[in-house]
Amino acid sequence: MVYAFDIETMPIQAKICELPEPEVKLGNLKDPVKIAEKQAEARAEQVAKMALNPLYGRIVCAVFICAESAPLRLTAGDDDEEERELIRSCFREMAGAHGGGYAGPPQLTSWNGATFDLPFLFKRALLLRIPIPQTVGSLDRWCKRYATAPHADLMQIWSGWDSRNYAKLDDVAGAVFGEHKIGIGFEEFPELVRSEEGRKRIADYCEQDTRLTLKLYHRFHGILF
């Protein structure tokens, strides 16, 4: 059984105040209003990038999906314990999907999972002191490029493991199937996680990514790997 996997992250709100003042190149700019605007833009960019760093960001959604069953949708808010339960559930799914062994084609697939989703998941587990099941193993097991690895990163396969050729999921899925991601801004996540309806929107967004990834896996398999 092949599972597609994806996570969504956002800044840890409590750590925003810990960020250093961003460096802003002002040149000959003297206008205090324009200087303040540039400083605000730099700060906003700094905060947005927190979500990409497991030291300053947290997982607020994860989705696993396969052709044989309903998707598993996991959500959390700006809370360590909720995130811990989400991460534990991810590892339970990864352990259960493989039964402690591996044979045949990869069983977990993602778009950019080897360089973002899985490292973020394992590092957040480390930071939150969450034990990783023995059947899951270490991060490096999931991030190898060999055909016998338990995880296939379709972005890496598409690009030939060359960062100069990285492509976006939306672009490739659009070209191959004429289907696209759901439009939503990452900057909306801190507000959306506060309500059930908002969490549903994030989960819908994440689920669409996994659906596109799973379709691309079946299209690529036997041709690209």
Side-chain angles (χ1 to χ4, degrees), residues 87-159:
I87 292 171
R88 292 186 192 104
S89 295
C90 286
F91 287 140
R92 283 195 293 269
E93 188 69 8
M94 290 166 68
H98 304 290
Y102 172 73
Q107 290 182 285
L108 188 70
T109 189
S110 70
W111 192 271
N112 197 27
T115 52
F116 179 70
D117 303 74
L118 289 169
F120 201 105
L121 176 69
F122 277 76
K123 289 174 184 177
R124 287 302 294 166
L126 185 153
L127 291 166
L128 294 171
R129 295 177 172 79
I130 299 170
I132 297 172
Q134 188 174 12
T135 50
V136 171
S138 61
L139 173 62
D140 66 339
R141 173 179 178 245
W142 296 86
C143 295
K144 294 175 181 177
R145 62 182 295 179
Y146 308 113
T148 55
H151 165 240
D153 185 331
L154 299 185
M155 186 186 80
Q156 299 289 354
I157 290 170
W158 177 264
S159 69

